[in-house]
Amino acid sequence: MIAQAINKYDTVGIDLVAMNVNDLVVQGAEPLSFLDYYACSKLDVAQATDFVKGVAHGCRDAGCVLAGGETAEMPGLYRPGDF
């Protein structure tokens, strides 16, 4: 919601990776790869690109690779602009 309010989506992906990596490392595991998932009502390419750039940045910071991911448009589930 904050990202939407300030129209800044690249840091959301960094935070997403960080929270997942934190869950791994406290169990003694090491992050090797990451898959992203971006779901929305209608794809906004600029918004999605910024999000994925943030995920890639988070992966670099965590020392793992962004191995792939999925994008889904679900207009019946998400409101316009939400993801």
Side-chain angles (χ1 to χ4, degrees), residues 32-71:
L32 301 175
S33 63
F34 195 84
L35 300 173
D36 68 42
Y37 180 78
Y38 184 87
C40 57
S41 175
K42 179 167 175 38
L43 184 62
D44 177 327
V45 175
Q47 182 183 51
T49 299
D50 283 348
F51 170 78
V52 174
K53 283 181 184 178
V55 172
H57 184 120
C59 288
R60 281 191 303 275
D61 287 350
C64 64
V65 298
L66 176 56
E70 180 180 348
T71 301

